[in-house]
Amino acid sequence: MQKLIAMNGMRPTGPLHLGHYTSALKLTLGLQNSSTCKEIYLMIADDQALTDNYGNPAKVSDNVLEVALDYLSCGIDPNKVSLVLQSQIPALKEMAFYFLDLVSLSRLERNPTVKAELKQKEFRNNIPVGFLSYPISQAADIIAFNSDIVPVGEDQAPMVEQTNEIVHKFNYLYGNGKEVIHPCKIMLPSKKESLRLPGLDGKSKMSKSLNNCIYLKDSPDVIKTKIMSMYTDPLHLKVEDPGHTKNNPVFIYLEAFASDSHFKKYYPEFNSLKELKKAYEKGGIGDVKIKRFLLDVILETLSPIQEKRKELEKNIPYVYKVLEEGTKKANKVANTTLKRIKEAIGLEYFNNSSLIEYQIKKYQ
Ligand code: TRP
């Protein structure tokens, strides 16, 4: 089978959280540890982060290293995955400029993820053009590396759709029957709970700006406080009351993280989540007990990641080196794609002997 190219990225507006881990990061780790891919690019999207943090650029630049540390702590292997720092790839901006011509304002305004973000940010009548058009810049990120698959959470589906619309329009207009730039497919987590992990408050998604996250680098004490004050089932007042497991973030997290071996180790009264759910729904199990179990599961999941982070924090120059090397490789590929794009549009004026010959003839 032909090996694929995978690409995804995250915005450096803070350290990464469990939502990033269950979706894009776990998928990337899975690809890295299989033989599916010949190339994998994992971006730190600092330019994209600036589209809504332009007033506070230090927040973005400070978090670049934070995200790089999180990537590597989770087990991303720089020999198999190129870490890419978006702002250091000039070709992305050039590409995005040509793609701007292929997308209408109303199309951008229809993007459901952007719509939800706009509502949350309350730009009102002052929506920055850069923010509204970030899906076009994201299309450049994906197209630049000839990506076949984009492993992400569900909220990124509209970006992948937008990318493919640009690809098809570009190839139709400028391709002369050929594929100049490459369409891609989204790759989503197989567990439905991991598609969009809810926040600690039970709100739609775990998000830095909603302040409802467990960060990968949170200390065990902080994680304990966060889990113990989590939103659960508001109708489950007494231990004997029947509880609801649906829309209950504690159970959604258990679905995403707990395995049967966790039960054996920390909650041997039950063999599986299915059994625990049944018992909770019947009544007789208190929320504190469930939360303690979730705490054990999360701490066990994060402990190797946090160990690795401690090691990496002692070697910051190494982390920068990894970032620099990955970005160097990414620049090479992106420049080749940009050259194809400009040639297809007809923007190769110099060192182009056939163009010069044609013009000479025209003026003879
Ligand atoms: N939009 C992504 C986020 O919100 C970040 C991102 C930038 C990205 N470029 C990408 C994701 C390319 C996948 C592919 O975190």
Side-chain angles (χ1 to χ4, degrees):
M1 214 176 75
Q2 214 183 355
K3 292 206 172 192
L4 304 177
I5 301 175
M7 189 277 156
N8 69 14
M10 284 156 232
R11 296 179 196 173
T13 51
L16 300 183
H17 54 63
L18 287 182
H20 295 113
Y21 183 70
T22 50
S23 55
L25 266 174
K26 260 200 159 165
L27 288 170
T28 309
L29 286 167
L31 290 171
Q32 161 189 293
N33 300 328
S34 74
S35 54
T36 316
C37 290
K38 57 179 174 188
E39 287 162 55
I40 305 176
Y41 298 90
L42 183 54
M43 180 176 272
I44 300 178
D46 55 343
D47 278 340
Q48 188 176 113
L50 277 172
T51 64
D52 63 329
N53 290 285
Y54 50 85
N56 189 3
K59 176 176 160 194
V60 175
S61 53
D62 272 357
N63 281 305
V64 166
L65 184 67
E66 201 67 57
V67 172
L69 281 165
D70 277 332
Y71 282 166
L72 298 175
S73 308
C74 286
I76 291 296
D77 175 357
N79 293 313
K80 296 183 181 152
V81 177
S82 304
L83 296 197
V84 182
L85 185 51
Q86 188 185 32
S87 63
Q88 306 306 303
I89 317 276
L92 295 178
K93 262 91 93 173
E94 251 187 275
M95 265 175 227
F97 188 77
Y98 299 116
F99 297 158
L100 284 168
D101 297 334
L102 308 182
V103 182
S104 73
L105 187 56
S106 62
R107 176 66 184 88
L108 289 174
E109 285 167 344
R110 275 202 310 274
N111 183 312
T113 299
V114 174
K115 250 187 179 168
E117 286 169 325
L118 285 175
K119 216 166 157 190
Q120 196 192 318
K121 289 179 205 307
E122 297 181 340
F123 285 125
R124 292 174 209 280
N125 282 331
N126 295 306
I127 301 170
V129 175
F131 184 78
L132 189 67
S133 58
Y134 88 72
I136 300 179
S137 132
Q138 186 160 336
D141 301 340
I142 297 169
I143 290 165
F145 304 109
N146 311 304
S147 315
D148 299 297
I149 46 174
V150 184
V152 281
E154 202 178 32
D155 61 321
Q156 297 302 303
M159 312 306 161
V160 174
E161 231 172 78
Q162 176 72 83
T163 301
N164 283 331
E165 283 174 29
I166 290 173
V167 168
H168 292 128
K169 192 156 183 187
F170 187 100
N171 287 336
Y172 172 75
L173 288 172
Y174 311 122
N176 225 340
K178 280 205 294 275
E179 180 187 294
V180 182
I181 52 178
H182 191 55
C184 62
K185 286 205 172 79
I186 192 167
M187 179 189 198
L188 292 168
S190 53
K191 275 192 186 171
K192 113 173 166 296
E193 292 71 24
S194 300
L195 288 172
R196 190 188 295 256
L197 203 68
L200 293 163
D201 52 2
K203 292 253 169 64
S204 63
K205 77 170 183 178
M206 197 174 268
S207 148
K208 274 164 279 200
S209 36
L210 295 175
N211 201 11
N212 61 4
C213 307
I214 294 178
Y215 294 103
L216 301 181
K217 66 175 227 179
D218 275 346
S219 71
D221 279 348
V222 169
I223 297 176
K224 185 173 177 193
T225 311
K226 286 182 176 176
I227 288 185
M228 287 306 167
S229 54
M230 254 177 99
Y231 174 92
T232 56
D233 172 10
L235 302 172
H236 188 234
L237 298 175
K238 284 186 261 129
V239 172
E240 315 81 75
D241 291 342
H244 294 84
T245 55
K246 233 181 142 194
N247 298 326
N248 181 337
V250 177
F251 277 92
I252 299 175
Y253 289 10
L254 285 175
E255 287 280 3
F257 292 99
S259 64
D260 291 354
S261 72
H262 286 130
F263 274 94
K264 245 191 216 127
K265 209 159 155 189
Y266 302 113
Y267 210 164
E269 293 102 296
F270 298 98
N271 288 312
S272 65
L273 188 56
K274 213 169 152 194
E275 280 185 25
L276 175 64
K277 272 178 145 176
K278 242 194 196 153
Y280 183 86
E281 281 162 4
K282 225 168 114 203
I285 298 185
D287 282 335
V288 172
K289 212 151 184 213
I290 310 280
K291 285 179 172 179
R292 284 220 177 97
F293 175 53
L294 177 63
L295 178 64
D296 285 329
V297 171
I298 298 292
L299 290 183
E300 183 175 311
T301 308
L302 293 184
S303 131
I305 297 174
Q306 300 196 344
E307 295 269 301
K308 182 121 202 241
R309 189 184 236 270
K310 274 193 203 116
E311 286 305 306
L312 289 161
E313 283 174 356
K314 287 186 207 140
N315 201 353
I316 298 299
Y318 163 77
V319 181
Y320 274 113
K321 197 84 214 149
V322 166
L323 201 49
E324 192 182 343
E325 299 276 313
T327 304
K328 204 163 147 190
K329 175 172 171 194
N331 257 313
K332 267 198 202 136
V333 181
N335 284 335
T336 315
T337 307
L338 177 64
K339 188 161 186 291
R340 277 203 321 275
I341 285 175
K342 290 176 80 170
E343 272 170 11
I345 307 177
L347 301 170
E348 287 290 289
Y349 297 103
F350 306 131
N351 292 319
N352 184 344
S353 52
S354 60
L355 172 71
I356 296 174
E357 248 166 61
Y358 163 81
Q359 295 292 15
I360 290 171
K361 273 209 193 110
K362 195 169 125 195
Y363 288 98
Q364 255 166 11

